[in-house]
Amino acid sequence: MGGMADDNRIVNTHQFEAWNGYEGRHWAEHQARYDALNDPANAPLLAAAALRDTDSVLDIGCGNGRLTRLAARTAARAVGVDLSAPMLERARESAAGEHLTHVTHLQADAQVHPFAPGSFDVALSRFGVMFFADPVAAFANIGRALRPEGRLAFVCPQPVTAMDQSAVFAAVAGHVTLPDFDERQETGPAAFADPARPGEVLSGAGFDTITVDPLEVVQEWGTDPADAAGFLFGWGPMRHWLREAAPESVARAHRAATDAFGAYATPEGVHLTARYWLVTATWPGTP
Ligand SMILES: C[S@@+](CC[C@H](N)C(=O)[O-])C[C@H]1O[C@@H](n2cnc3c(N)ncnc32)[C@H](O)[C@@H]1O
């Protein structure tokens, strides 16, 4: 944890290890691919945030920082906070490459970092808020960083079973054991898959005026099915699930995934429909 201030406590230690280990390195090394996958969420999320040129913006779990930089095109100041050193390195290099001098990055655990109270107008996140061990505490901490009437807007995935991705996982599961995607997940990508959950967490944390709307987008998985399957089999979670599987079974699963991606191949690339929740809320401030 070198380079971080003494008061910069990390409580989400498993997440810290994952995002500073294989998973974070994979995201950093494949920055453009992850952005191709996740960029379709940008415009609806930024529209919901309704940024102004006077706004000070906090991007939670900013990763390689795409959303932070897009927010900075409108906002007066944008700060990206993330656990992952390799991803923050990409974020800093990318901001410098775009000559954005009003963007800064902070390696910290957003659940507990002592942000200056009331110092942001808007908190945003593209898939960076599902990994808190204590989400109510985390959002209360983020809320305190907002000024009274400050806004929150984020996107998080609907259940995998609501997405085209589930057909690929079903093909893979014919050869290796995958997790039960119907099982409720407390922490991880599906933590807010149940649309009642963001409201429960946010109201518990002190936010009000909470909205949860469905968002359907088309994700770009790769240039062709083999490319898409190669990317999927490099994913940190996939590597974790398959760590004890026999190599022959993994090879068969990989071929099955390639075939399954074939159903979504177009001349422009492999396109899968994904479904998210677009969540907004307001921080009322301390009464
Ligand atoms: C799915 S990635 C999304 C990255 C980025 N927002 C994007 O859309 O490309 C989730 C990110 O959340 C970060 N993260 C997870 N838990 C966090 C925490 N407690 N505090 C700060 N960042 C966290 C991870 O390090 C990772 O970069």
Side-chain angles (χ1 to χ4, degrees), residues 12 15 19 27 35 38 61-64 81-84 87 108-111 126-128 131-132:
N12 289 284
Q15 294 296 330
W19 295 105
W27 275 74
D35 280 335
N38 295 324
C62 67
N64 298 325
V81 59
D82 203 281
L83 290 173
S84 173
M87 293 168 80
D109 186 335
Q111 183 175 317
R126 189 181 82 171
F127 310 123
F131 303 94
F132 301 124

Side-chain angles (χ1 to χ4, degrees), residues 132-208:
F132 301 124
D134 187 340
V136 172
F139 278 103
N141 190 48
I142 292 160
R144 285 189 291 272
L146 291 171
R147 64 164 168 77
E149 301 307 315
R151 284 127 46 224
L152 171 71
F154 66 82
V155 282
C156 56
Q158 290 192 24
V160 170
T161 46
M163 309 202 203
D164 286 348
Q165 205 180 320
S166 61
V168 179
F169 282 144
V172 170
H175 303 279
V176 290
T177 307
L178 292 184
D180 177 0
F181 294 113
D182 283 326
E183 214 167 76
R184 186 185 159 110
Q185 192 179 45
E186 291 298 326
T187 305
F192 290 146
D194 173 353
R197 188 80 182 122
E200 285 164 15
V201 167
L202 292 177
S203 56
F207 280 88
D208 62 19

